[in-house]
Each structure stands twice: as C-alpha cells, then as structure tokens.
Amino acid sequence: MMKKMMIATTNVGKIKEFKQMLEPLGYEVLSLLDVKEPIDIEEDGKTFAENARIKAKTVFDILHMPVISDDSGLSINHLHGAPGVYSARFLGKDTSYEYKNQYILDELKQAKDRRCQYVCAIAYAKEDGSIHVFEGVMEGTVAFQAAGHNGFGYDPIFFYEPFGRTLGEVEEEQKNKVSHRGLALAKLLAYMEDPSCYM
Ligand code: ITT
C-alpha cells in the first residue's frame, strides 16, 4: 500500500518537486490543494525553521496525519540576505516572478558580490505530534539575465556554477539532486529510516 504524505503547501512548484522526489519512493503525495476547507497559516516566524514548524504544526493539529512542510527562500548577499523569509511576499505576493526577477537583476547591475543562497527548512510532524526540522542550502550566484522556463520562482536568475546554467534551464530531476529542498528532504528521509542518526 502507498504511504500517504501530506505536504503543507499550496505552492504548485514545491508540490511538483516533492512529487518527483517522493513518488518513486512509494509515497502518495497530497497537498493543501487536496484539502476541502482552506487552512489559514500565519507565517510569523523570523527564520525558515520557525516558519516550517508553524506550517507543520498548524496542519497537523487540523488533519491529524503525518505532515511535511517547507519554508524556503532566496538570500542575496548584495541585498543583505533579502528577500530571505519574505521571498514569496517580496514586492507583493501576487507580483509576477518576471517582475521580481527583473527587479533583482536591476538592483544587482553594479554589484561586485553576486553570491546568493537558496535555503530550505523542512519540518516533519510525526504521527505522535513531535516535530523535527531539517535544512538544506544551495549556493549560487545571481545571473546577469534571466534564462529558462523550468522550475519556479527565482530559478531563471539562480545561476548554479557546477551546471554552468540557471536552474530555469535544467531539468527538475537535475535540480532536485543538488537543491536546498532535495538536500533537506534527503536528511528527513535518512531520519525516517533511522531516527537514531540525528540523536
Ligand atoms: P507555502 O507556504 O504554501 O509552502 P510559499 O510559496 O508561500 O508556499 P514560502 O513562504 O516558503 O512558500 O516561500 C518560498 C518562496 O521562496 C517561493 O515562493 C519562491 O519565491 C522562493 N523559492 C523557494 N524555493 C525555491 C526554488 O526551489 N525555486 C525558486 N524559488 C524558490
């Protein structure tokens, strides 16, 4: 029987990546888009880990089933770590990423330091209600121009040196192997297999 896993997100880009990573391992991936009543989550944490915990706990308390949540974002050195935990809300939640990405490119026109990081905190609410958080970081640079239509969000301007391309230009499978989300999820899967490995 397939094991059900609720991903506490409505972000279709995240849902697609979790499906790609978890379905081959025998999980049936559900998301908040499959839940009838919308669940309102107040993301008022100051860190990715805090927000991931808030999302997992809110959804666990309502659905009473194992939950994985993801809080993630892009931190840009030249912008002193922004947009960071505000990545989804940066310049307005409904503003297009075409606009957000162009804004960042313009801000970094004269920048000497183009380094940036994708950070992902995954929180896992277990059946007993305990919550465990795992983090992954991916180092990159802000590209000089947007390229590619794969992935989501800031991927067209996230240049990953080892690939020599932006994440908008690579297949999702390739991204998942090295991404902040892929790394955090790998830690969670190792924990699920052997909880003593994180004691
Ligand atoms: P949920 O809270 O429903 O999960 P959200 O999009 O609001 O969805 P976050 O608060 O965690 O989620 O914000 C994450 C934002 O960070 C996301 O909307 C993108 O702007 C950016 N981001 C995170 N991971 C990304 C990735 O792999 N590729 C591109 N952008 C990413």
Side-chain angles (χ1 to χ4, degrees), residues 142-199:
V142 175
F144 287 94
Q145 57 185 43
H149 298 282
N150 293 342
F152 65 99
Y154 300 99
D155 284 343
I157 61 165
F158 190 101
F159 187 85
Y160 186 59
E161 203 76 49
F163 292 160
R165 289 157 195 260
T166 71
L167 293 181
E169 295 177 292
V170 302
E171 294 301 322
E172 265 108 8
E173 254 182 27
Q174 230 182 323
K175 174 186 169 186
N176 292 341
K177 281 188 192 142
V178 292
S179 75
H180 51 321
R181 184 162 299 106
L183 297 174
L185 185 64
K187 288 183 189 170
L188 167 60
L189 294 171
Y191 169 81
M192 284 164 121
E193 204 147 281
D194 176 12
S196 68
C197 72
Y198 280 96
M199 290 296 197

Side-chain angles (χ1 to χ4, degrees), residues 34-170:
D34 301 308
V35 176
K36 277 199 202 102
E37 290 290 315
I39 297 179
D40 190 33
I41 305 175
E42 202 180 333
E43 290 181 40
D44 55 4
K46 288 192 178 57
T47 63
F48 295 107
E50 275 174 29
N51 278 335
R53 253 178 210 282
I54 291 168
K55 292 185 208 186
K57 181 163 174 24
T58 307
V59 174
F60 179 87
D61 286 348
I62 292 169
L63 299 179
H64 308 289
M65 66 184 289
V67 173
I68 290 178
S69 70
D70 167 311
D71 198 72
S72 47
L74 176 67
S75 291
I76 299 173
N77 288 18
H78 184 73
L79 302 179
H80 311 290
V85 290
Y86 302 106
S87 290
R89 291 164 270 177
F90 184 56
L91 304 175
K93 179 122 183 127
D94 296 326
T95 305
S96 74
Y97 277 90
E98 226 180 321
Y99 184 90
K100 295 188 200 204
N101 286 339
Q102 191 53 52
Y103 178 92
I104 291 171
L105 293 175
D106 292 344
E107 284 291 301
L108 265 75
K109 257 201 184 118
Q110 312 292 339
K112 291 203 177 70
D113 184 359
R114 304 190 71 86
R115 285 174 299 168
C116 59
Q117 299 83 37
Y118 265 151
V119 182
C120 175
I122 285 181
Y124 173 45
K126 275 162 102 161
E127 228 137 323
D128 65 2
S130 63
I131 296 180
H132 307 262
V133 180
F134 305 87
E135 288 196 329
V137 177
M138 181 185 199
E139 303 279 349
T141 56
V142 175
F144 287 94
Q145 57 185 43
H149 298 282
N150 293 342
F152 65 99
Y154 300 99
D155 284 343
I157 61 165
F158 190 101
F159 187 85
Y160 186 59
E161 203 76 49
F163 292 160
R165 289 157 195 260
T166 71
L167 293 181
E169 295 177 292
V170 302

Side-chain angles (χ1 to χ4, degrees), residues 2-3 19-28 185 189:
M2 300 261 279
K3 296 161 274 186
K19 281 194 173 180
Q20 274 164 342
M21 293 189 278
L22 289 172
E23 283 178 353
L25 303 178
Y27 286 94
E28 182 186 346
L185 185 64
L189 294 171

